[in-house]
Amino acid sequence: MHDTRPPGAARADAPAPQPGRPPVGDRFLPGFLFLTVLGGMTIGLGKVATTLFALELGATGGEIGFISAAESLGMMLVTVPAGFIIARYGARRVYFTASMGPAVLSLLLPCAPLWWLLAAGRGLIGLCIPFRIVSMNSSFLEKLRTLGPSRTGWYRATNSIGIAMIGPAVAHALISRHGPVLAFATCALAFLLLALLGRVLLPAAETLPPSASAGTDAGVLRQIRALLADRVVLESCLIEYLSSSTSSLHGTFILVVAIAGLGLPQGEAVQLVMTHGVASVSALFLLGALLHRLPRPLAYGASFTLACCGLLLLGTGRDFVTLAAGGIALASGSALIHLVNMDQMSRHPISKSKISGLYSLAQMSGNFSGALIGGLLAHIVSPQQVFIAWLPAVCAGALLLWRRARRPALPDTLSTSHS
């Protein structure tokens, strides 16, 4: 059943703190958040370094879109299996193995002489990343019931600090002074450090309540169908897909628009990426405390409005301030959706590894769709006009979800079966 207690109320299933020891959340959070920031930095550093290196190779906006889509495609292929593998073998072992692959591949990327070789390399890295993301996300979801609703957005917030703030800043500093080789080498070293830290900071195995482990003997496809039959799980995944596909346009094209389209300096272009990250982090940290005071339909409506405003500003802006405002609106809308979805899923009595796999698949397939379709559109219109061309897709998706929400509510399959 969903937890209907007011914010701050004690939950019967929450472990009681032991005398003389800090609460579970206080022991878990510091190391986990450091691991999250460092992991996000590797993603942001690798993404910006790859984009700037591709521009040096003469890649077009459409080709850069395909490079980003290749990584998302690799991630999509293994995300759901990753959840089941982690549920069986534990986050600690899987995270270690999945961090070693990108460490090696990051050393090889600056040797690629053609854009499609960069795409192939990013695609191989994409095969490793889901195991790391699902390991982290499932570990956080499992602890979220004891951490409290005000911390719902902390995982993505700290991850965004690394992806959109520290990573781009490090990439710009290293590439502008030393070239791409040192940037990719730094990325490889960070992946190696993550592999070692994960052995210490992540749980060895997932803790499942008896009700959640009842169906683990069923086949994988049958378990996936049962997960998707639950209304909360399905709608959370669909909304995350729409949000991620829209947000991915910013990460894919903002550097191209700023540098190649508007002629802004590289430093200002990277600042646009970082501004988007600051807005995302701020929203994830600050809006969590207001989560239970905001009705879900109102939260989704506000997110849709922010996304449309962001796309309009990004598609029409001709200066740094307008583009930055568009990125802020887009990031705030995406953060609001994520907070609502994570809060709902943390309350479900199901395997957090498996639901994290599906949720991450929705996010990654959205990133893939946004990058790929955006890359195709960039061959027809300019990269900046892609943001305007995306508006009808956002409106159509929001309308479909609104019509679905107006249907009579059915019992949540997973909740009722485990009550």
Side-chain angles (χ1 to χ4, degrees), residues 99-166:
S99 296
M100 296 303 296
V104 175
L105 289 166
S106 294
L107 294 174
L108 300 177
L109 285 179
C111 302
L114 301 169
W115 73 267
W116 60 267
L117 288 175
L118 275 180
R122 297 309 305 184
L124 291 174
I125 290 177
L127 293 174
C128 303
I129 289 178
F131 293 95
R132 300 173 62 250
I133 292 177
V134 176
S135 294
M136 297 290 289
N137 199 44
S138 60
S139 299
F140 185 73
L141 276 174
E142 190 174 350
K143 298 289 186 180
L144 191 55
R145 291 176 69 88
T146 58
L147 293 173
S150 64
R151 295 173 176 176
T152 301
W154 283 27
Y155 166 55
R156 180 171 280 193
T158 50
N159 197 39
S160 298
I161 290 174
I163 292 176
M165 297 167 62
I166 301 177

Side-chain angles (χ1 to χ4, degrees), residues 346-402:
S346 71
R347 299 173 183 275
H348 250 310
I350 56 180
S351 167
K352 298 303 183 283
S353 295
K354 295 173 184 177
I355 194 174
S356 293
L358 286 174
Y359 189 71
S360 297
L361 176 63
Q363 180 183 2
M364 294 169 187
S365 57
N367 290 335
F368 171 76
S369 299
L372 180 62
I373 299 174
L376 293 173
L377 288 173
H379 284 287
I380 303 172
V381 298
S382 72
Q384 185 169 20
Q385 291 174 334
V386 169
F387 293 107
I388 299 297
W390 200 259
L391 275 169
V394 173
C395 295
L399 178 61
L400 289 174
L401 289 169
W402 177 75

Side-chain angles (χ1 to χ4, degrees), residues 41-42 44-46 48-49 52 56 166-190 266 270:
M41 189 208 75
T42 61
L45 172 58
V48 173
L52 295 178
E56 287 185 12
I166 301 177
V170 172
H172 172 61
L174 292 176
I175 292 178
S176 61
R177 298 178 184 178
H178 307 287
V181 174
L182 184 58
F184 284 114
T186 302
C187 193
L189 182 62
Q266 185 182 103
V270 173

Side-chain angles (χ1 to χ4, degrees), residues 19 32 57 63 81 85 127 130 172 247 250 290 316 334 372 381 383 391:
F32 178 84
L57 294 177
E63 290 166 349
I85 291 172
L127 293 174
H172 172 61
S247 296
H250 187 275
L290 303 175
T316 59
S334 178
L372 180 62
V381 298
L391 275 169

Side-chain angles (χ1 to χ4, degrees), residues 27-295:
R27 299 197 308 271
F28 168 76
L29 265 183
F32 178 84
L33 294 181
F34 175 76
L35 195 69
T36 303
V37 171
L38 185 61
M41 189 208 75
T42 61
I43 297 175
L45 172 58
K47 187 176 184 63
V48 173
T50 301
T51 300
L52 295 178
F53 184 50
L55 287 173
E56 287 185 12
L57 294 177
T60 65
E63 290 166 349
I64 290 174
F66 290 135
I67 292 172
S68 181
E71 181 174 353
S72 297
L73 177 60
M75 295 165 71
M76 286 170 54
L77 293 176
V78 297
T79 297
V80 173
F84 287 85
I85 291 172
I86 292 166
R88 178 166 183 173
Y89 295 105
R92 184 179 298 170
R93 282 190 288 175
V94 174
Y95 186 88
F96 175 84
T97 305
S99 296
M100 296 303 296
V104 175
L105 289 166
S106 294
L107 294 174
L108 300 177
L109 285 179
C111 302
L114 301 169
W115 73 267
W116 60 267
L117 288 175
L118 275 180
R122 297 309 305 184
L124 291 174
I125 290 177
L127 293 174
C128 303
I129 289 178
F131 293 95
R132 300 173 62 250
I133 292 177
V134 176
S135 294
M136 297 290 289
N137 199 44
S138 60
S139 299
F140 185 73
L141 276 174
E142 190 174 350
K143 298 289 186 180
L144 191 55
R145 291 176 69 88
T146 58
L147 293 173
S150 64
R151 295 173 176 176
T152 301
W154 283 27
Y155 166 55
R156 180 171 280 193
T158 50
N159 197 39
S160 298
I161 290 174
I163 292 176
M165 297 167 62
I166 301 177
V170 172
H172 172 61
L174 292 176
I175 292 178
S176 61
R177 298 178 184 178
H178 307 287
V181 174
L182 184 58
F184 284 114
T186 302
C187 193
L189 182 62
F191 274 117
L192 178 61
L193 181 59
L194 285 168
L196 299 176
L197 290 176
R199 299 282 294 177
V200 178
L201 299 174
L202 292 181
E206 182 177 2
T207 303
L208 293 176
S211 59
S213 58
T216 55
D217 293 332
V220 172
L221 292 178
R222 186 176 179 181
Q223 293 182 58
I224 293 174
R225 284 196 296 268
L227 287 167
L228 292 177
D230 183 87
R231 181 164 188 167
V232 169
V233 175
L234 179 60
E235 290 187 359
S236 295
C237 289
L238 290 174
I239 292 169
E240 178 60 26
Y241 171 83
L242 180 61
S243 173
S244 296
S245 62
T246 303
S247 296
S248 70
L249 296 178
H250 187 275
T252 301
F253 293 111
I254 191 62
L255 291 175
V256 180
V257 170
I259 297 174
L262 302 179
L264 296 180
Q266 185 182 103
E268 287 191 10
V270 173
Q271 286 178 25
L272 289 171
V273 179
M274 297 175 65
T275 300
H276 179 271
V278 170
S280 179
V281 169
S282 301
L284 289 166
F285 273 128
L286 298 176
L287 295 181
L290 303 175
L291 189 60
H292 289 272
R293 298 185 180 93
L294 193 65

